Amino acid sequence: MNGLTGAREGARAGVAGGLRRMVARAMARDLCAFFVPGMDVARARGLDLDAAGLHRADTPRRANVLLVAGPLPPSLLDAACVAWAQMPRPRAILALGAGEIAPLPGPDVAEDLSQSGLAAGLAALRRAVAAGAFAPEVTDFDAPALAVRVEYTCPMHPEVVSDKPGSCPKCGMDLVEREASAGDHGGHAGADETGGGGRRGHEGHGSDNAPAPSRAYTCPMHPEVVSDKPGSCPKCGMDLVEREASTWDHGRHAGAVETGNGDHRAHEGPGGHDTHDTPAPSGVYTCPMHPEVVSEEPGSCPECGMTLVPKDQAGDHAGQVHAKQQGHGGDSGHGGHGSAPEVPGIEPHFMSMVDMTRDLPASPDGLRMEWIEVPFGPFFPGLPGGLGLTFTLDGDSVAAARAESLVPGVLAPGLPAAELADRLAAQGPLAPAALRELACRALEAAAGAAPPPEWGAARAAALERARIASHLNWLAGLARQVGLVTLERRVAALHQRLRQADAADCARVAPALGALGARVRGTPLLRDRLAGIGQIDGRAAAEAGGPVARAAGHAVDARADDPAYAALGFRVIAGKDTGTGGDAWARLVQRLAEIDQSLDLIARAGAIAEAAHSADLLAELPSDGHAMARVETPRGPSTLHLTLQGGTIAEARLTTPFARLAAQIGPMTAQMELAEALTAVASLDLDPWGARP
Amino acid sequence: MTLAIILFALALGCYLIAVLEDWAVHGRLDPLRPAVSALALLGREQVLPRKSDRLFFEVGPVLLLVAGLLAVAVIPLAPGLIVTDLATGALFLNAALAYVLVALIMAGWGPNGAYAMIGGWRFLGQFVAYAMLIVMTITAVAMRAESLSTTEIVTSQAALWNVFYQPIGFVLFVIAAMGLAWLPPIDLPTGGGDLAGGVEAEYTGARLAVLRLARLVIVLALASATATFYLGGWLGPWLPAWAWTAAKTLAVAAAMLFLGRHLPRLREARYLAVSWKLGIPLALANIILVGVIALVVPI
């Protein structure tokens, strides 16, 4: 072993002397891995980092090993490059069954995707690190996704943008350098994990997304000069600069002061005039701090006693993104601030929070702060790997949320029908058994053949074992997110025991699972942590499907129509059986109840079908036809529409529960505190793999 | 000489607490682990995040360490074994630890990362929750001792330890101390699962080593303060005085470190609400109760 094979980018600069050798040996003992694509996938693929003696890092900054398990789609490889770039040297890549991992540098050690592969890989890696953590010459690694494009702009004329330095064609000033806002993909991966670049993408946030306001032109030096078309200033001859028209109504602002609601209301200023121009619905008042309080007449808030204000001033600016004032235009409104209290000896608006924040978007709580867009994922600890979640944060509350799958599934036409099950299973590492079953059922439906009843029960049992494993995997992730590290270890160990267990093993694990359920339900403060978070009910819950819908009391379950399940005496468990409502705690209790139920179903079935059986079942694969199959996966119903032509797949349309569940995130997390919003998202148990692009 | 002994005790204490913490987190006792980790950490590259606020980024961890060291300076290891026996020791401890807030906000702001920044500001909210409880419980302790000097607080407990004399204060102080040292389940600024390291997220190499060491010193300072204020400090039969202080400090630290691993991280709003609506009335009741007892029963 001659040290890190990726030495160009992995080793740290330095000649290996006596002390450095000791440090290198310490590093070899202290390996800490950042796991790509995520711990949930690692567990589902049967890897146990604890057993291998490998610590895991929450962020790439803390890691010295990038552990890539299984093949990754290009989008995740780009994100992995960013993680690699963020890791301090010395660092190494351990690839387990990953295949080609460019644009990452070649792996230092490559092994099979298995626990023994992990152990062997780690041993090799320890030797490599001990021998070659330091190298005399090293080169830098730049993640392609992090490359920043520099552009030049005029300080006075922001509309002037150029690729190269020079002077402004309008005023002749030297152009100044700034970072171009990253493209959507680059920005995404660029800020992927630690938030190192987290705030980079937000510069210019306000002006990028602003709706086109009505324009006015003013002189940078003489704000009193206002024109509705471009031109030059009659006083100094400078070019007029564009700014938002400020047509606010002084009378209305004075009125707001009279309602006694603090002075800052009086200064809503240029930002809010779009709504100020439209009269408020007469007689609707609300509390600046409690937007849910609405009253027909003025008065004080029953929650906090503050004076109610007309509704449009209290919170209706939420969601508006206001264009930044250009040049000095922002100060042109001094005349409009006559209502500001003037303190003798202090210049008006000196260090005024109002002036500093008035162009910022307002949130329903009335506090104006700079909104930042923060990515969580695709490798965020405590969220499913491959999930791209972006929160727009207003302070620490969520103003907007966006979730997407970075690992969508694409089934290319022309695939031989016999390979469909394997291909689908490979696409969804978190739910391979359910996808395999789905493929088999679709092919059976196309062939018009039904499996013999004894097979039906065994296949249902395989699906139920996958359900238990999936729920346990989810529980380990949730425990991680809320900081219950001991529970996470215990759940992960049970998950490993059960993942490939046969019916007899399942029966042996059953008491431990029962004890686990009791332990989880009885964990002090856990109910307090989860109750009331991520409430989904009514129609939204019914549409979400799966455990989310059942936790809210909707008895929707594709298994209910399945003859194989009917033969096993299946009965849908819904929220009313568990006695909880549709929040994160209800989902936890629901999934625990489903684990018990699935154990029961496996015991009744008596045997669990092997994955290989499904191919044998279809001795005569259909060559043409169209079919649809539907399976209740651990996260809800998945459907597969299949069109076969000449023994190959002409079209396959897979619908997983991801889109339905992800649609809940926006409304569910609105105005939630960040940690609670993340818990709410985790409680949905999203599986981004194989979702429709 | 005193200073040398205290520094040695401090280093040893920090190491043992690091071993305990590693045990609590990874579920495996490995006495060599902190040494190996520290050595590995020192050998790693120090990354300076883009567009960081260099001053805050560099000063944050150092200020944290200084705050912890100042707090330790007023804790007696044994009679006479104290860096400085200030007449206002208990107050000084509180004043020194106030800089933890400043340091964490600086460390959160410095690296220009969203997770770190949110972590830093979260600690400001956390401060609002724990600060009053720390001060009010110390008040009750000082009332009994009729002094703010930490050595006199210890000797005042000769007849009965404060943990029995004012149990409400003890519980409140430990909870508040866990908030101050951002120990789970109140590790809001660094929450592993929801901020990916938070304030610590962008620190690497030697800077991270300083940050980690500072955190250990703060845990040690608070555990030894708990032992001093409530468990009778060096008082105890058979063993030498320093051994009692050490044993009590380590026991408190172990309890603080292991307790949180079995509890989910608190919701920030809930922590604030409970601290103010329940904690402060209880702390007031504790002060009144201790005042009445001190006047009525001479122990």
Side-chain angles (χ1 to χ4, degrees):
Chain A
M1 263 303 169
N2 293 321
L4 303 181
T5 50
R8 278 186 317 115
E9 285 134 2
R12 189 176 177 194
V15 182
L19 182 64
R20 286 227 169 87
R21 249 180 237 127
M22 205 167 84
V23 169
R25 276 202 297 276
M27 282 169 181
R29 272 197 63 177
D30 191 51
L31 291 185
C32 187
F34 185 68
F35 200 95
V36 174
M39 281 308 295
D40 51 346
V41 178
R43 286 187 292 260
R45 285 179 168 156
L47 298 179
D48 186 346
L49 268 60
D50 277 335
L54 184 62
H55 285 184
R56 103 195 96 142
D58 282 335
T59 115
R61 290 264 194 251
R62 201 66 73 251
N64 49 13
V65 178
L66 186 73
L67 181 48
V68 184
L72 294 184
S75 56
L76 285 194
L77 280 171
D78 283 346
C81 280
V82 178
W84 173 249
Q86 289 176 337
M87 284 167 60
R89 286 174 286 201
R91 58 192 174 187
I93 295 178
L94 173 57
L96 299 178
E100 181 55 46
I101 57 167
L104 278 173
D108 294 275
V109 177
E111 286 285 347
D112 300 337
L113 181 54
S114 66
Q115 185 68 20
S116 57
L118 175 65
L122 277 181
L125 208 54
R126 285 184 209 282
R127 287 193 296 275
V129 171
F134 295 91
E137 280 178 29
V138 295
T139 48
D140 282 333
F141 172 79
D142 288 315
L146 276 182
V148 173
R149 193 163 59 83
V150 173
E151 60 186 22
Y152 298 86
T153 182
C154 171
M156 303 306 286
H157 301 95
E159 68 278 13
V160 174
V161 177
S162 158
D163 288 339
K164 37 190 188 301
S167 55
C168 173
K170 297 204 180 176
C171 62
M173 280 180 76
D174 283 343
L175 300 185
V176 294
E177 192 178 296
R178 75 167 181 205
E179 281 172 17
S181 44
D184 50 347
H185 183 68
H188 196 92
D192 82 288
E193 183 44 37
T194 63
R199 281 151 72 190
R200 171 169 59 84
H202 316 296
E203 293 152 14
H205 172 68
S207 42
D208 283 352
N209 300 342
S214 59
R215 292 291 177 187
Y217 296 83
T218 183
C219 171
M221 304 308 286
H222 300 94
E224 66 276 20
V225 174
V226 178
S227 158
D228 56 0
K229 37 187 190 300
S232 54
C233 172
K235 299 199 179 177
C236 64
M238 277 181 78
D239 283 342
L240 299 185
V241 296
E242 200 175 72
R243 69 163 165 85
E244 254 186 275
S246 59
T247 52
W248 65 80
D249 176 348
H250 302 243
R252 288 277 306 287
H253 284 286
V257 173
E258 277 161 20
T259 61
N261 159 46
D263 294 317
H264 66 281
R265 286 288 145 214
H267 301 288
E268 299 247 79
H273 54 261
D274 284 352
T275 43
H276 285 223
D277 287 343
T278 55
S282 60
V284 178
Y285 292 85
T286 183
C287 171
M289 303 306 288
H290 298 93
E292 70 277 11
V293 174
V294 178
S295 159
E296 292 281 304
E297 50 213 48
S300 57
C301 171
E303 304 252 342
C304 62
M306 279 180 77
T307 308
L308 300 184
V309 297
K311 191 168 184 349
D312 74 329
Q313 296 179 8
D316 283 6
H317 306 311
Q320 280 189 30
V321 185
H322 306 300
K324 290 241 155 72
Q325 295 284 314
Q326 310 291 9
H328 295 279
D331 290 340
S332 64
H334 276 318
H337 291 272
S339 52
E342 295 207 358
V343 183
I346 294 184
E347 193 189 334
H349 314 298
F350 170 72
M351 290 287 280
S352 157
M353 211 52 203
V354 174
D355 275 358
M356 286 199 285
T357 62
R358 65 180 178 190
D359 295 331
L360 300 176
S363 48
D365 63 8
L367 293 171
R368 294 184 168 220
M369 290 190 223
E370 194 176 344
W371 288 12
I372 56 172
E373 210 171 82
V374 186
F376 292 86
F379 308 133
F380 194 76
L383 285 180
L387 171 70
L389 176 68
T390 308
F391 281 142
T392 302
L393 292 177
D394 170 24
D396 68 350
S397 54
V398 176
R402 200 175 65 233
E404 59 176 332
S405 166
L406 297 183
V407 282
V410 189
L411 280 176
L415 184 75
E419 289 175 22
L420 177 68
D422 287 337
R423 183 64 71 88
L424 267 186
Q427 239 181 40
L430 294 181
L435 290 173
R436 194 179 288 280
E437 175 71 18
L438 188 61
C440 291
R441 288 197 189 181
L443 290 172
E444 280 162 9
E454 68 273 17
W455 283 105
R459 280 167 58 180
L463 203 52
E464 292 312 302
R465 181 184 62 188
R467 191 179 315 278
I468 302 175
S470 170
H471 285 352
L472 287 176
N473 199 359
W474 166 80
L475 183 56
L478 183 79
R480 173 86 188 149
Q481 201 202 50
V482 300
L484 283 166
V485 286
T486 42
L487 179 67
E488 183 200 8
R489 261 200 299 276
R490 181 170 164 180
V491 175
L494 275 172
H495 174 260
Q496 290 306 325
R497 271 181 72 188
L498 202 115
R499 216 169 55 87
Q500 308 280 4
D502 58 23
D505 283 338
C506 285
R508 276 193 287 276
V509 180
L513 281 175
L516 175 78
R519 160 83 167 76
V520 171
R521 288 190 197 92
T523 298
L525 300 178
L526 186 58
R527 181 167 193 161
D528 187 57
R529 179 75 172 77
L530 299 177
I533 285 186
Q535 187 80 34
I536 303 178
D537 34 31
R539 240 183 71 203
E543 280 166 11
V548 173
R550 294 194 286 273
H554 299 276
V556 288
D557 198 320
R559 291 176 287 175
D561 314 326
D562 191 326
Y565 278 95
L568 292 174
F570 172 79
R571 190 183 66 85
V572 180
I573 300 179
K576 52 185 177 295
D577 304 314
T578 52
T580 47
D583 57 10
W585 173 254
R587 276 167 230 150
L588 173 66
V589 173
Q590 173 73 28
R591 292 198 180 99
L592 291 175
E594 289 187 11
I595 288 177
D596 293 343
Q597 182 190 36
S598 297
L599 278 171
D600 197 34
L601 290 171
I602 292 172
R604 277 187 228 166
I608 296 176
E610 294 293 325
H613 285 165
S614 44
D616 306 342
L617 268 181
L618 299 166
E620 195 73 9
L621 280 168
S623 64
D624 291 284
H626 178 87
M628 189 273 263
R630 187 175 159 89
V631 160
E632 183 76 17
T633 72
R635 294 163 181 85
S638 284
T639 47
L640 180 63
H641 290 267
L642 209 57
T643 309
L644 294 167
Q645 246 168 26
T648 62
I649 311 290
E651 194 198 351
R653 207 147 38 85
L654 173 68
T655 310
T656 66
F658 177 78
R660 288 191 300 271
L661 290 171
Q664 308 289 333
I665 291 179
M668 186 179 72
T669 57
Q671 295 308 316
M672 281 175 88
E673 194 268 329
L674 172 62
E676 297 177 10
L678 285 169
T679 308
V681 173
S683 76
L684 293 178
D685 191 10
L686 295 163
D687 174 7
W689 297 86
R692 242 200 268 174
Chain B
M1 187 60 196
T2 305
L3 192 64
I5 294 174
I6 297 267
L7 278 180
F8 176 74
L10 179 69
L12 191 66
C14 285
Y15 190 83
L16 291 175
I17 287 176
V19 172
L20 284 174
E21 183 163 28
D22 184 65
W23 191 7
V25 173
H26 297 114
R28 212 174 298 166
L29 178 63
D30 182 356
L32 284 182
R33 182 104 214 159
V36 172
S37 294
L39 204 56
L41 211 50
L42 290 175
R44 297 179 71 184
E45 191 179 22
Q46 299 197 49
V47 179
L48 189 67
R50 278 153 36 88
K51 291 194 171 179
S52 54
D53 186 325
R54 189 73 190 266
L55 181 69
F56 278 21
F57 186 67
E58 304 283 7
V59 170
V62 177
L63 182 61
L64 200 63
L65 184 59
V66 170
L69 291 173
L70 285 176
V72 170
V74 293
I75 304 289
L77 184 60
L81 261 186
I82 181 169
V83 178
T84 167
D85 187 7
L86 288 177
T88 53
L91 199 61
F92 181 83
L93 178 101
N94 193 47
L97 291 177
Y99 283 94
V100 171
L101 169 72
V102 182
L104 271 196
I105 289 181
M106 286 170 97
W109 177 265
N112 188 34
Y115 300 164
M117 186 185 67
I118 295 169
W121 290 125
R122 266 190 191 181
F123 194 70
L124 181 60
Q126 191 163 322
F127 170 83
V128 173
Y130 73 72
M132 286 307 287
L133 295 183
I134 293 261
V135 182
M136 291 169 82
T137 48
I138 290 183
T139 306
V141 169
M143 277 164 62
R144 185 190 179 198
E146 297 179 19
S147 167
L148 280 166
S149 153
T150 46
T151 48
E152 291 200 20
I153 286 175
V154 172
T155 47
S156 76
Q157 301 174 62
L160 182 68
W161 290 0
N162 272 337
V163 62
F164 304 115
Y165 191 91
Q166 32 188 311
I168 303 175
F170 172 72
V171 172
L172 290 177
F173 185 83
V174 169
I175 294 174
M178 288 175 73
L180 205 169
W182 70 101
L183 284 171
I186 325 177
D187 56 341
L188 300 175
T190 54
D194 64 15
L195 279 185
V199 168
E200 285 185 358
E202 301 291 326
Y203 283 94
T204 55
R207 290 192 191 95
L208 180 63
V210 173
L211 197 61
R212 292 254 168 101
L213 176 66
R215 160 75 175 286
L216 291 173
V217 173
I218 287 168
V219 173
L220 182 73
L222 286 164
S224 57
T226 310
T228 305
F229 293 159
Y230 291 97
L231 301 176
W234 65 74
L235 301 175
W238 311 304
L239 294 177
W242 62 266
W244 275 113
T245 310
K248 288 171 186 173
T249 301
L250 284 178
V252 171
M256 283 178 167
L257 289 167
F258 279 87
L259 179 71
R261 313 294 162 180
H262 301 279
L263 297 173
R265 188 174 301 115
L266 296 182
R267 290 154 81 163
E268 185 169 26
R270 194 59 59 92
Y271 178 50
L272 274 163
V274 170
S275 293
W276 279 77
K277 292 180 184 165
L278 187 67
I280 291 184
L282 277 177
L284 275 173
N286 181 51
I287 290 178
I288 295 167
L289 217 61
V290 170
V292 170
I293 297 174
L295 286 176
V296 177
V297 199
I299 40 172

